[in-house]
């Protein structure tokens, strides 16, 4: 007996090491299948069009994880890739958490100017599990480690599409941490037949790589790099908006890479995505990594039995070719662009191009209406009058010239005077005004050349001007950047409570890879303003400077879908645009999730709904999407608290359209709105419905 015990004690460590446990207790057939043989997990899933994908994963520590990746064509599996390992590089820096700069909502941070580390994430295959989550199949493998971070690798397969996601899900307990990551798929023995990508001119490029080729960073269009073999292709790309931390510029910083020994950290030849730690070399805040949050350092892969160009065409469908598609009954609008065309070109003495590049770029993005924010630095908002009025005259002249029947380029400014913080002014026609006033200067006067001219000296006159000219104002980058603390600091002011103050603008600041949504900063403000008893709205904003074809524009953009049947003519004024915004008849989107229709008990966004005594309500909502949906959240408030009802939509598949109906009790609530988010953290949200 003693011999048997000793033999067992001697053999069991080797047995346990040879047999990596795989937990299948939460796996249920949803169209996918899984089998386990010793250290090998084989998972297949339906990819649509009667095809299937298959992935063979090897849990042997000394072998590549992705042993084989297949996709069927005409009933026959073709080997698209083999002998690949996921690789992640994690940069860890220190976050500035001063309340004066917004705490975790900070933008004015320069993380890479302080000491930071750059390390390969270590992968130790100790155990694994396979589970289903609606139409998704998730393979989780432990364990990952890097500096103070630890966690698991997650591979998610999506039924109905040859798409999968690879994520290092990591947490730290260290406070004040900011991170950045690069990632990809690598091989020590095999190399792709070719590496392909689209250049910024939308032309396909490719190289024949060798295993020893030193790694190279690529400037690409559509954020995608593709490994190609005779049997097919594997396209690798990030979440289109989530992966890009906020910057003031949309420069193309070579966000993909291929080659051997990347950063002298990743052994073997790989393809992948990357971030430039120095960003645009101005304010570079990286990503928040709060203690104990699960940061998803992830990328997507799409497999195809076709060659690279066809695979890229399939990837581009997820972002509508990086554009905002037309929606019947709506016009697309984007706001807050500091391109400074007037100062830098029109008034600089340079030749004025008939078709400026920035206009063509915005048109090609599918935008119908663009509101500028000129003179944000080079202008003279406070005068002298001769300079200020000349600048405004040129702004009105050029925006009129560059507008047409399908594109309305509108003048606008980030005023930043009188109210506190930064805010945008928007008038329904050209208005000449100077943001200063001498003691003897009248509020309103007539100029022989320019006509009516206003001089504004304080917040009361600013409100008077907006009322008189039917203008709107809203806070830019609320609670962060130069608006840290606003609009909270002036929420009791008459100008803020006025109907001329529309609300706030939303942009994905800050960035946090643990959240299933993009920035909650202004979404939370939206709820707060409603609980303050104010009927305000939130539009999207870009807040970027340079606009070129070369730039990575789409990642930093967002859009407002305004309920309008036609675009006003510039010469007739654009009061209808302001009317739609003021009434809340629009929704905000990153582009991949759309809300063609929305009402609660027949009342739409911006309207008031009288509930019965029981508070029963039905949310009616049509959604169109590209990536599979993740969830819808119905958010409501009672003037004090905020309530959230989340509806799981993980049974959806890619490229869908559906009308949903959900019953909800809104008794005691004063307002309600709805958000919808997909698995790549793209989303859309409605404006408020006010409840009586």
């Amino acid at each position: 007996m003693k011999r048997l015990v000793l033999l067992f004690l001697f053999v069991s460590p080797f047995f346990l090491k040879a047999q990596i446990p795989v937990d299948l207790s939460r796996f249920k057939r949803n169209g996918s299948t899984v089998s386990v043989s010793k250290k090998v997990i084989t998972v297949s899933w339906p990819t649509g069009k009667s095809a299937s994908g298959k992935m063979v994963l090897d849990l042997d520590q000394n072998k590549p994880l992705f042993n084989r990746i297949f996709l069927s064509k005409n009933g026959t599996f073709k080997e698209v890739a083999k002998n690949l390992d996921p690789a992640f590089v994690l940069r860890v820096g220190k976050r500035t958490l001063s309340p004066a700069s917004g705490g975790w909502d900070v933008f004015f941070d320069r993380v890479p100017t302080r000491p930071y580390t750059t390390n390969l994430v270590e992968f130790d295959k100790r155990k694994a599990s396979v589970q289903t989550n609606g139409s998704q199949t998730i393979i989780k493998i432990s364990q990952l480690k890097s500096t103070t971070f630890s966690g698991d690798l997650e591979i998610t397969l999506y039924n109905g599409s040859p798409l999968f996601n690879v994520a290092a899900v990591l947490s730290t307990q260290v406070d004040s941490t900011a991170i950045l990551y690069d990632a990809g798929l690598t091989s020590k023995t095999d190399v792709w037949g070719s590496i392909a990508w689209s250049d910024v001119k939308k032309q396909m490029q490719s190289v024949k790589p060798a295993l020893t080729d030193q790694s190279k960073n690529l400037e690409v269009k559509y954020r995608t790099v593709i490994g190609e073999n005779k049997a097919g292709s594997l396209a690798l790309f990030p979440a289109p908006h989530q992966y890009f931390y906020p910057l003031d510029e949309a420069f193309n910083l070579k966000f993909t890479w291929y080659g051997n020994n990347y950063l002298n950290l990743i052994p073997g030849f790989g393809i992948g995505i990357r971030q430039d730690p120095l960003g645009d070399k101005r304010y570079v805040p990286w990503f928040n990594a709060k203690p104990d949050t699960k940061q998803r350092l992830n990328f997507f892969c799409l497999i195809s039995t076709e060659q690279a160009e066809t695979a890229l065409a399939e990837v581009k469908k997820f972002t509508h070719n990086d554009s905002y598609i037309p929606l019947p009954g709506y016009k697309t609008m984007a706001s807050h662009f500091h391109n400074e065309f007037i100062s830098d070109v029109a008034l600089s003495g340079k030749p004025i191009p008939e078709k400026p590049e920035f206009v063509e770029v915005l048109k090609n993005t599918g935008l119908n209406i663009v509101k500028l924010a000129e003179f944000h630095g080079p202008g003279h908002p406070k005068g002298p009058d001769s300079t200020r009025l000349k600048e405004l005259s040129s702004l009105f002249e050029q925006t009129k010239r560059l507008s047409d029947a399908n594109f309305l380029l509108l003048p606008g400014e980030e005023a930043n005077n009188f109210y506190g913080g930064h805010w945008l002014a928007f008038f329904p026609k050209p208005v000449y005004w100077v943001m200063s006033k001498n003691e003897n200067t009248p509020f309103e006067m007539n100029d022989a050349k320019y006509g009516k001219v206003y001089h504004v000296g304080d917040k009361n006159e600013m409100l008077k001007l907006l009322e008189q000219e039917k203008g709107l104002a809203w806070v830019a980058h609320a609670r962060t950047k130069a608006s840290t603390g606003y609009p909270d600091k002036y929420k009791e002011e008459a100008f803020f409570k006025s109907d001329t103050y529309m609300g706030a603008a939303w942009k994905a600041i800050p960035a946090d890879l643990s959240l299933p949504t993009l920035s909650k900063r202004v979404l939370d403000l939206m709820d707060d303003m409603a609980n303050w008893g104010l009927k305000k709205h939130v539009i999207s904003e870009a807040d970027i400077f340079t606009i070129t074809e070369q730039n990575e524009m789409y990642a930093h953009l967002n859009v407002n879908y305004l309920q309008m049947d036609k675009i006003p003519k510039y010469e007739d004024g654009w009061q209808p645009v302001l009317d739609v915004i003021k009434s809340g008849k629009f929704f905000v989107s990153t582009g991949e999730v759309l809300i063609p229709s929305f009402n609660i008990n027949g009342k739409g966004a911006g309207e008031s709904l009288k509930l019965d005594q029981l508070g029963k309500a039905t949310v009616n909502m049509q959604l169109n999407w590209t990536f599979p949906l993740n969830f819808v959240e119905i958010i409501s408030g009672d003037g004090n608290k905020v309530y959230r009802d989340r509806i799981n939509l993980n049974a959806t598949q890619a490229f869908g359209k559906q009308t949903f109906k959900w019953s909800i009790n809104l008794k005691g609530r004063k307002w309600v709105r709805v958000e919808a988010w997909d698995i790549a953290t793209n989303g859309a949200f409605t404006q408020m419905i006010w409840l009586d």
Side-chain angles (χ1 to χ4, degrees), residues 661-675:
K661 288 190 176 184
W662 300 293
S663 296
I664 187 170
N665 191 305
L666 296 172
K667 186 175 181 179
R669 312 294 166 79
K670 295 185 177 181
W671 54 267
V672 60
R673 65 181 183 86
V674 182
E675 300 176 12

Side-chain angles (χ1 to χ4, degrees), residues 333-627:
M333 174 186 169
S335 173
H336 202 156
F337 295 95
H338 299 304
N339 194 51
E340 304 300 353
F341 179 74
I342 303 305
S343 298
D344 294 349
V345 179
L347 295 177
S348 68
K350 300 176 184 176
I352 300 176
E354 181 182 352
K355 294 183 178 181
E357 182 181 14
F358 85 96
V359 172
E360 296 306 299
V361 169
L362 295 172
K363 283 183 175 181
N364 291 337
T365 311
L367 294 172
N368 305 127
I369 305 167
V370 171
K371 178 194 175 297
L372 299 176
E374 292 285 274
F375 314 130
H376 188 59
H380 301 81
K382 294 184 178 182
D385 285 13
S386 57
T387 304
R388 166 67 171 170
L389 299 180
K390 182 180 179 181
E391 289 173 343
L392 287 174
S393 178
S394 179
L395 174 62
F396 301 149
E397 176 189 357
Q398 292 300 322
T399 50
K400 181 179 181 179
R401 179 181 74 86
L402 296 169
S403 296
D404 56 42
N406 298 309
F407 182 75
L408 192 59
L409 185 64
L410 298 179
E413 296 180 79
E414 188 174 355
N416 307 342
N417 289 298
F418 315 118
Y419 284 174
H422 284 197
W423 59 278
L424 273 76
F426 191 25
F427 294 102
K429 63 180 181 180
V431 173
Y432 287 95
W433 64 299
V434 182
M435 301 182 201
S436 66
K437 181 183 174 186
N438 295 327
E439 184 177 351
N440 298 321
T441 304
F443 170 68
E444 181 181 335
M445 60 184 292
N446 190 67
D447 184 271
K449 182 176 181 180
Y450 299 109
K452 187 185 296 184
V453 175
Y454 295 94
H455 287 79
V456 178
D458 58 30
K459 61 187 177 183
N460 296 321
E461 289 183 335
M462 188 67 242
L463 173 57
K464 182 179 178 181
L465 172 59
L466 289 167
E467 290 174 336
Q468 192 162 316
E469 291 293 346
K470 299 181 179 180
L472 289 178
W474 59 84
V475 60
H477 39 76
R479 295 176 170 175
T480 190
K481 299 183 81 171
S483 293
T484 299
Y486 296 99
D488 307 69
K489 291 180 181 179
Y490 54 60
K491 69 178 183 179
E492 298 300 331
E493 294 273 7
F495 69 79
F496 183 66
K497 293 184 177 181
S498 163
D499 288 343
T500 66
Y501 208 103
M502 182 273 298
W506 177 88
K507 179 183 176 177
I509 306 174
D512 187 328
L513 296 165
S514 70
L515 298 175
T517 71
L518 294 180
S519 174
K520 289 175 60 63
R521 171 184 52 90
V522 175
L523 297 175
D524 288 343
L525 171 62
M526 190 179 187
D527 303 335
D528 289 343
M529 291 189 296
N531 272 344
W532 296 343
L534 303 174
K535 293 185 176 181
K536 303 298 183 184
H537 308 298
V538 165
I539 71 167
S540 70
E541 66 178 352
D543 193 11
I544 53 178
F545 287 74
T546 313
I547 303 171
T548 69
E549 182 181 37
Q550 181 184 21
N551 280 2
E552 177 47 67
M553 293 298 301
Y554 184 76
H556 295 275
L557 290 180
N558 43 52
V559 74
N560 303 284
Y561 274 85
L562 308 183
Q563 290 185 31
M564 302 179 67
D565 291 323
K566 62 180 182 180
I567 301 173
K569 294 181 180 179
Y570 188 101
E571 55 268 29
D572 295 335
W574 43 94
Q575 185 68 54
V577 175
L578 277 75
D579 290 343
V580 169
I581 296 172
K582 188 175 181 178
S583 63
K585 295 294 184 181
F586 64 97
F587 68 87
V588 173
S589 174
T590 56
E592 298 79 8
V593 181
L594 301 178
I595 310 174
S597 65
F598 163 69
N599 71 77
I600 300 179
N601 290 7
K603 296 293 184 178
E607 297 180 349
S608 295
L609 168 64
K610 186 173 180 61
L611 295 170
D612 62 23
Q613 291 183 343
L614 298 176
K616 291 182 178 179
T618 301
V619 177
N620 303 286
M621 190 176 199
Q622 182 183 336
L623 293 174
N624 299 358
W625 63 89
T626 57
F627 289 91

Side-chain angles (χ1 to χ4, degrees), residues 42-45 52-56 68-71 77 303:
T42 302
V43 185
S44 66
W45 77 103
S52 296
K54 184 164 63 175
M55 188 177 288
V56 180
R68 298 286 190 276
I69 299 174
F70 301 90
L71 185 64
F77 276 106
I303 50 178

